[in-house]
Amino acid sequence: MAIVDWDRDAVKNGLADGSVLLIDVREPNEFAAGHIPGSVSFPLSDFDVERLQALIAADGRRPVLSCAAGVRSARALQYLQGQGIPLTEHYAGGFKDWANAGETVE
C-alpha cells in the first residue's frame, strides 16, 4: 500500500470544509507548544491501533496523519498498514511547513 503526501493547501481545504480529521502524532509537549487548529493529538509514543480506529470510526471524517515534518506520520502509516489498517494519507510538510508559511497556530 502506498503513502499519499498531502500538501498545505489540501490540508487547509479539508479542515475548512470539515472533511478531514487531522491526527497529530507528535508528542504531547510538542502539540501543547503549538498545533494546527482543528487537529487532534494522538502521540506516536502511546500509539494504540484500536483506540485510533475507534476515533476514526466515531468521527467519520477522512483521516490524515500529521507530525512535525512528515517523518513520524509516514512511519505511523507504515506501521498501521503493517497491522492491516488501510490508512494512506499524511501531511508531508507537517507542522513546520504550516508554521513557517505563517498559517494560524493554536
Side-chain angles (χ1 to χ4, degrees):
M1 193 171 287
I3 292 177
V4 178
D5 294 341
W6 278 42
D7 63 15
R8 185 178 342 103
D9 288 336
V11 172
K12 277 177 69 172
N13 291 338
L15 289 171
D17 70 15
S19 64
V20 166
L21 170 62
L22 190 62
I23 302 168
D24 190 326
V25 300
R26 297 177 302 151
E27 294 307 304
N29 63 312
E30 293 174 284
F31 188 84
H35 57 273
I36 298 169
S39 62
V40 297
S41 179
F42 202 92
L44 198 54
S45 63
D46 187 28
F47 216 62
D48 180 320
V49 174
E50 289 178 7
R51 194 167 55 92
L52 179 64
Q53 288 179 297
L55 169 68
I56 292 167
D59 187 277
R61 293 178 287 169
R62 182 180 197 156
V64 176
L65 301 188
S66 179
C67 64
V71 176
R72 285 178 279 181
S73 56
R75 255 192 247 137
L77 286 173
Q78 290 171 335
Y79 172 74
L80 289 166
Q81 290 173 9
Q83 300 297 309
I85 311 300
L87 297 183
T88 59
E89 299 166 320
H90 80 126
Y91 178 10
F95 181 74
K96 287 181 182 178
D97 175 66
W98 185 271
N100 288 338
E103 299 292 349
T104 302
V105 172
E106 288 185 341

